[in-house]
Amino acid sequence: KSQRMRVRLFKPSVGREELDKIKEAFSRSWIGLGPNVNEFEERWTEFIGCKVSIGLNSCTAALHLALRCFNFKEGKKVLVPTMTFSATASAILYNNLVPVFVDSDPSTLGMCMKDLAIKYDENCVAIMVVHYAGHPIPMDELVPWAKERDLKIIEDCAHTAGGIYKGKSLGNWGDISCFSFEEKKLMTTGDGG
């Protein structure tokens, strides 16, 4: 018989306080959309300094909703990095838009600004930036470039909960930001986004 190797991808780190909160939620029968979600939204808004936060079941759903908020015409293009999770591009497809893949910068792992300029055309309506593995892309360069072209910026901050770039919280540079709090991320709320 062949033996299978079992390699654990992550190990959750939860203490007594977290376990007590989980037990409390179960005893109230509120394991979703309850008062803890409302409190989390309020505290997250305060923490990153944005106008409002809305808790969803995943970052994928957040990216989908972010694009939907702009009501882009079907078939328009969204610039997206090549190095990301499939959900980033899938959210574009869910909205009947076309993903345009931009090569990655080897130092930031995010979008290469030179390739971004090459891939852009007049049918592009938005950019989905990903601060991959917590490496912020140069938002101080990207934001004016995008605004000049009337492009909306959606920040995929799945890898950067609490990250700061040039004194400003990541997630506050673009028009809408989406975070992930599933079990393998920097900060977890359990299995969800």
Side-chain angles (χ1 to χ4, degrees):
K1 283 186 170 182
S2 66
Q3 289 189 328
R4 292 193 299 188
M5 182 184 297
R6 293 183 180 188
V7 177
R8 189 173 196 147
L9 294 177
F10 67 96
K11 182 179 179 190
S13 176
V14 293
R16 175 58 41 206
E17 184 180 355
E18 291 87 358
L19 293 171
D20 288 344
K21 285 286 189 184
I22 292 167
K23 186 177 178 182
E24 181 184 310
F26 271 88
S27 69
R28 282 194 325 255
S29 297
W30 278 102
I31 56 171
L33 301 176
N36 289 341
V37 175
N38 296 335
E39 180 184 354
F40 178 78
E41 290 169 341
E42 290 169 11
R43 292 180 73 179
W44 186 254
T45 298
E46 184 180 311
F47 176 69
I48 66 166
C50 64
K51 291 180 184 175
V52 66
S53 297
I54 301 168
L56 300 173
N57 69 318
S58 67
C59 192
T60 305
L63 293 167
H64 182 178
L65 181 59
L67 283 167
R68 178 64 66 207
C69 286
F70 296 114
N71 200 29
F72 294 127
K73 185 177 176 185
E74 288 186 15
K76 290 294 184 179
K77 297 176 181 178
V78 178
L79 298 150
V80 63
T82 54
M83 195 156 141
T84 184
F85 183 62
S86 63
T88 313
S90 295
I92 297 167
L93 297 172
Y94 296 156
N95 282 280
N96 297 312
L97 301 167
V98 178
V100 176
F101 294 98
V102 177
D103 288 336
S104 296
D105 181 293
S107 60
T108 67
L109 306 177
M111 286 182 170
C112 171
M113 294 298 290
K114 288 179 184 174
D115 195 48
L116 180 65
I118 293 167
K119 300 285 174 67
Y120 167 78
D121 69 32
E122 67 280 351
N123 287 313
C124 294
V125 292
I127 302 173
M128 272 192 165
V129 299
V130 177
H131 305 296
Y132 193 82
H135 296 278
I137 70 161
M139 295 303 285
D140 54 332
E141 295 174 35
L142 179 100
V143 171
W145 186 90
K147 296 299 178 194
E148 228 174 74
R149 291 155 181 82
D150 199 28
L151 297 171
K152 298 298 182 190
I153 301 171
I154 298 167
E155 284 183 84
D156 181 336
C157 296
H159 288 198
T160 186
I164 295 174
Y165 178 72
K166 300 219 172 182
K168 187 174 181 177
S169 292
L170 292 169
N172 281 317
W173 287 86
D175 296 292
I176 296 177
S177 61
C178 305
F179 290 83
S180 177
F181 301 100
E182 58 102 28
E183 75 280 1
K184 293 178 292 300
K185 297 303 189 284
L186 296 172
M187 180 179 145
T188 186
T189 57
D191 190 27

